[in-house]
PDB file of all heavy atoms in Angstrom:
ATOM      1  N   PHE Z   5      22.931 -25.604 -13.777  1.00 48.00           N
ATOM      2  CA  PHE Z   5      23.930 -26.808 -13.536  1.00 48.00           C
ATOM      3  C   PHE Z   5      25.030 -26.655 -14.749  1.00 48.00           C
ATOM      4  O   PHE Z   5      26.223 -26.731 -14.485  1.00 48.00           O
ATOM      5  CB  PHE Z   5      23.443 -28.113 -13.483  1.00 48.00           C
ATOM      6  CG  PHE Z   5      22.700 -28.285 -12.192  1.00 48.00           C
ATOM      7  CD1 PHE Z   5      21.376 -28.699 -12.265  1.00 48.00           C
ATOM      8  CD2 PHE Z   5      23.199 -27.943 -10.911  1.00 48.00           C
ATOM      9  CE1 PHE Z   5      20.669 -28.795 -11.043  1.00 48.00           C
ATOM     10  CE2 PHE Z   5      22.485 -28.124  -9.744  1.00 48.00           C
ATOM     11  CZ  PHE Z   5      21.199 -28.562  -9.760  1.00 48.00           C
ATOM     12  N   ARG Z   6      24.480 -26.546 -15.942  1.00 51.00           N
ATOM     13  CA  ARG Z   6      25.431 -26.536 -17.092  1.00 51.00           C
ATOM     14  C   ARG Z   6      26.350 -25.262 -17.046  1.00 51.00           C
ATOM     15  O   ARG Z   6      27.579 -25.421 -17.291  1.00 51.00           O
ATOM     16  CB  ARG Z   6      24.663 -26.489 -18.311  1.00 51.00           C
ATOM     17  CG  ARG Z   6      25.518 -26.924 -19.650  1.00 51.00           C
ATOM     18  CD  ARG Z   6      24.578 -27.019 -20.803  1.00 51.00           C
ATOM     19  NE  ARG Z   6      23.346 -27.746 -20.608  1.00 51.00           N
ATOM     20  CZ  ARG Z   6      22.217 -27.273 -21.070  1.00 51.00           C
ATOM     21  NH1 ARG Z   6      22.017 -26.190 -21.655  1.00 51.00           N
ATOM     22  NH2 ARG Z   6      20.987 -28.051 -20.913  1.00 51.00           N
ATOM     23  N   CYS Z   7      25.763 -24.103 -16.591  1.00 52.00           N
ATOM     24  CA  CYS Z   7      26.520 -22.887 -16.363  1.00 52.00           C
ATOM     25  C   CYS Z   7      27.590 -23.048 -15.388  1.00 52.00           C
ATOM     26  O   CYS Z   7      28.745 -22.719 -15.520  1.00 52.00           O
ATOM     27  CB  CYS Z   7      25.685 -21.795 -16.167  1.00 52.00           C
ATOM     28  SG  CYS Z   7      26.631 -20.246 -16.023  1.00 52.00           S
ATOM     29  N   SER Z   8      27.127 -23.655 -14.143  1.00 52.00           N
ATOM     30  CA  SER Z   8      28.080 -23.646 -13.111  1.00 52.00           C
ATOM     31  C   SER Z   8      29.160 -24.690 -13.382  1.00 52.00           C
ATOM     32  O   SER Z   8      30.409 -24.526 -13.020  1.00 52.00           O
ATOM     33  CB  SER Z   8      27.351 -24.141 -11.759  1.00 52.00           C
ATOM     34  OG  SER Z   8      26.721 -25.370 -12.048  1.00 52.00           O
ATOM     35  N   ARG Z   9      28.985 -25.804 -13.972  1.00 54.00           N
ATOM     36  CA  ARG Z   9      30.055 -26.736 -14.395  1.00 54.00           C
ATOM     37  C   ARG Z   9      30.981 -26.097 -15.452  1.00 54.00           C
ATOM     38  O   ARG Z   9      32.064 -26.339 -15.374  1.00 54.00           O
ATOM     39  CB  ARG Z   9      29.327 -28.039 -14.950  1.00 54.00           C
ATOM     40  CG  ARG Z   9      29.040 -29.005 -14.119  1.00 54.00           C
ATOM     41  CD  ARG Z   9      28.730 -30.339 -14.716  1.00 54.00           C
ATOM     42  NE  ARG Z   9      27.302 -30.458 -14.691  1.00 54.00           N
ATOM     43  CZ  ARG Z   9      26.568 -30.855 -15.723  1.00 54.00           C
ATOM     44  NH1 ARG Z   9      27.085 -31.219 -16.829  1.00 54.00           N
ATOM     45  NH2 ARG Z   9      25.234 -30.867 -15.720  1.00 54.00           N
ATOM     46  N   HIS Z  10      30.411 -25.314 -16.286  1.00 55.00           N
ATOM     47  CA  HIS Z  10      31.230 -24.554 -17.258  1.00 55.00           C
ATOM     48  C   HIS Z  10      32.165 -23.607 -16.547  1.00 55.00           C
ATOM     49  O   HIS Z  10      33.386 -23.497 -16.909  1.00 55.00           O
ATOM     50  CB  HIS Z  10      30.341 -23.778 -18.199  1.00 55.00           C
ATOM     51  CG  HIS Z  10      31.133 -22.955 -19.169  1.00 55.00           C
ATOM     52  ND1 HIS Z  10      31.899 -23.406 -20.223  1.00 55.00           N
ATOM     53  CD2 HIS Z  10      31.223 -21.549 -19.236  1.00 55.00           C
ATOM     54  CE1 HIS Z  10      32.369 -22.320 -20.889  1.00 55.00           C
ATOM     55  NE2 HIS Z  10      32.026 -21.252 -20.205  1.00 55.00           N
ATOM     56  N   LEU Z  11      31.701 -22.981 -15.505  1.00 52.00           N
ATOM     57  CA  LEU Z  11      32.571 -21.885 -14.750  1.00 52.00           C
ATOM     58  C   LEU Z  11      33.570 -22.688 -13.898  1.00 52.00           C
ATOM     59  O   LEU Z  11      34.715 -22.212 -13.734  1.00 52.00           O
ATOM     60  CB  LEU Z  11      31.669 -21.103 -13.846  1.00 52.00           C
ATOM     61  CG  LEU Z  11      30.844 -20.024 -14.678  1.00 52.00           C
ATOM     62  CD1 LEU Z  11      29.926 -19.339 -13.559  1.00 52.00           C
ATOM     63  CD2 LEU Z  11      31.763 -19.011 -15.337  1.00 52.00           C
ATOM     64  N   LEU Z  12      33.240 -23.889 -13.445  1.00 56.00           N
ATOM     65  CA  LEU Z  12      34.097 -24.591 -12.502  1.00 56.00           C
ATOM     66  C   LEU Z  12      35.312 -25.109 -13.329  1.00 56.00           C
ATOM     67  O   LEU Z  12      36.380 -25.345 -12.792  1.00 56.00           O
ATOM     68  CB  LEU Z  12      33.505 -25.762 -11.784  1.00 56.00           C
ATOM     69  CG  LEU Z  12      32.469 -25.268 -10.756  1.00 56.00           C
ATOM     70  CD1 LEU Z  12      31.723 -26.528 -10.231  1.00 56.00           C
ATOM     71  CD2 LEU Z  12      33.158 -24.573  -9.653  1.00 56.00           C
ATOM     72  N   ARG Z  13      35.144 -25.341 -14.584  1.00 58.00           N
ATOM     73  CA  ARG Z  13      36.344 -25.864 -15.418  1.00 58.00           C
ATOM     74  C   ARG Z  13      37.243 -24.801 -15.916  1.00 58.00           C
ATOM     75  O   ARG Z  13      38.418 -24.981 -16.211  1.00 58.00           O
ATOM     76  CB  ARG Z  13      35.642 -26.458 -16.734  1.00 58.00           C
ATOM     77  CG  ARG Z  13      34.941 -27.770 -16.440  1.00 58.00           C
ATOM     78  CD  ARG Z  13      34.633 -28.346 -17.745  1.00 58.00           C
ATOM     79  NE  ARG Z  13      33.490 -29.412 -17.540  1.00 58.00           N
ATOM     80  CZ  ARG Z  13      32.600 -29.610 -18.287  1.00 58.00           C
ATOM     81  NH1 ARG Z  13      32.397 -29.019 -19.398  1.00 58.00           N
ATOM     82  NH2 ARG Z  13      31.723 -30.543 -17.989  1.00 58.00           N
ATOM     83  N   ARG Z  14      36.889 -23.515 -15.770  1.00 54.00           N
ATOM     84  CA  ARG Z  14      37.756 -22.408 -16.003  1.00 54.00           C
ATOM     85  C   ARG Z  14      38.700 -22.166 -14.973  1.00 54.00           C
ATOM     86  O   ARG Z  14      38.374 -22.151 -13.802  1.00 54.00           O
ATOM     87  CB  ARG Z  14      36.859 -21.090 -16.258  1.00 54.00           C
ATOM     88  CG  ARG Z  14      36.196 -21.183 -17.554  1.00 54.00           C
ATOM     89  CD  ARG Z  14      35.468 -19.925 -17.693  1.00 54.00           C
ATOM     90  NE  ARG Z  14      35.149 -19.644 -19.032  1.00 54.00           N
ATOM     91  CZ  ARG Z  14      34.565 -18.471 -19.367  1.00 54.00           C
ATOM     92  NH1 ARG Z  14      34.376 -17.446 -18.504  1.00 54.00           N
ATOM     93  NH2 ARG Z  14      34.399 -18.207 -20.635  1.00 54.00           N
ATOM     94  N   PRO Z  15      39.875 -21.529 -15.310  1.00 57.00           N
ATOM     95  CA  PRO Z  15      40.774 -20.997 -14.173  1.00 57.00           C
ATOM     96  C   PRO Z  15      40.009 -19.759 -13.558  1.00 57.00           C
ATOM     97  O   PRO Z  15      39.345 -19.111 -14.224  1.00 57.00           O
ATOM     98  CB  PRO Z  15      41.991 -20.611 -14.942  1.00 57.00           C
ATOM     99  CG  PRO Z  15      41.979 -21.238 -16.245  1.00 57.00           C
ATOM    100  CD  PRO Z  15      40.533 -21.656 -16.473  1.00 57.00           C
ATOM    101  N   LEU Z  16      40.349 -19.500 -12.303  1.00 53.00           N
ATOM    102  CA  LEU Z  16      39.723 -18.388 -11.613  1.00 53.00           C
ATOM    103  C   LEU Z  16      39.860 -17.028 -12.253  1.00 53.00           C
ATOM    104  O   LEU Z  16      39.046 -16.152 -12.200  1.00 53.00           O
ATOM    105  CB  LEU Z  16      40.212 -18.297 -10.144  1.00 53.00           C
ATOM    106  CG  LEU Z  16      39.607 -19.380  -9.185  1.00 53.00           C
ATOM    107  CD1 LEU Z  16      40.213 -19.229  -7.912  1.00 53.00           C
ATOM    108  CD2 LEU Z  16      38.135 -19.250  -9.101  1.00 53.00           C
ATOM    109  N   CYS Z  17      41.027 -16.825 -12.903  1.00 55.00           N
ATOM    110  CA  CYS Z  17      41.357 -15.568 -13.496  1.00 55.00           C
ATOM    111  C   CYS Z  17      40.462 -15.321 -14.643  1.00 55.00           C
ATOM    112  O   CYS Z  17      40.279 -14.149 -14.976  1.00 55.00           O
ATOM    113  CB  CYS Z  17      42.753 -15.364 -13.884  1.00 55.00           C
ATOM    114  SG  CYS Z  17      43.293 -16.651 -15.042  1.00 55.00           S
ATOM    115  N   LEU Z  18      39.812 -16.402 -15.232  1.00 55.00           N
ATOM    116  CA  LEU Z  18      38.902 -16.159 -16.421  1.00 55.00           C
ATOM    117  C   LEU Z  18      37.507 -16.031 -16.149  1.00 55.00           C
ATOM    118  O   LEU Z  18      36.635 -15.776 -17.039  1.00 55.00           O
ATOM    119  CB  LEU Z  18      39.185 -17.399 -17.284  1.00 55.00           C
ATOM    120  CG  LEU Z  18      40.597 -17.543 -17.988  1.00 55.00           C
ATOM    121  CD1 LEU Z  18      40.654 -18.753 -18.821  1.00 55.00           C
ATOM    122  CD2 LEU Z  18      40.977 -16.335 -18.794  1.00 55.00           C
ATOM    123  N   ILE Z  19      37.115 -16.254 -14.866  1.00 51.00           N
ATOM    124  CA  ILE Z  19      35.702 -16.124 -14.526  1.00 51.00           C
ATOM    125  C   ILE Z  19      35.409 -14.636 -14.519  1.00 51.00           C
ATOM    126  O   ILE Z  19      36.112 -13.833 -13.895  1.00 51.00           O
ATOM    127  CB  ILE Z  19      35.439 -16.690 -13.050  1.00 51.00           C
ATOM    128  CG1 ILE Z  19      35.718 -18.212 -13.135  1.00 51.00           C
ATOM    129  CG2 ILE Z  19      33.981 -16.364 -12.632  1.00 51.00           C
ATOM    130  CD1 ILE Z  19      35.510 -18.833 -11.729  1.00 51.00           C
TER     131      ILE Z  19
END
Side-chain angles (χ1 to χ4, degrees):
F5 291 127
R6 199 174 313 135
C7 180
S8 63
R9 268 191 263 138
H10 172 71
L11 288 175
L12 291 175
R13 288 186 197 144
R14 289 179 154 186
L16 285 176
C17 63
L18 296 177
I19 296 176

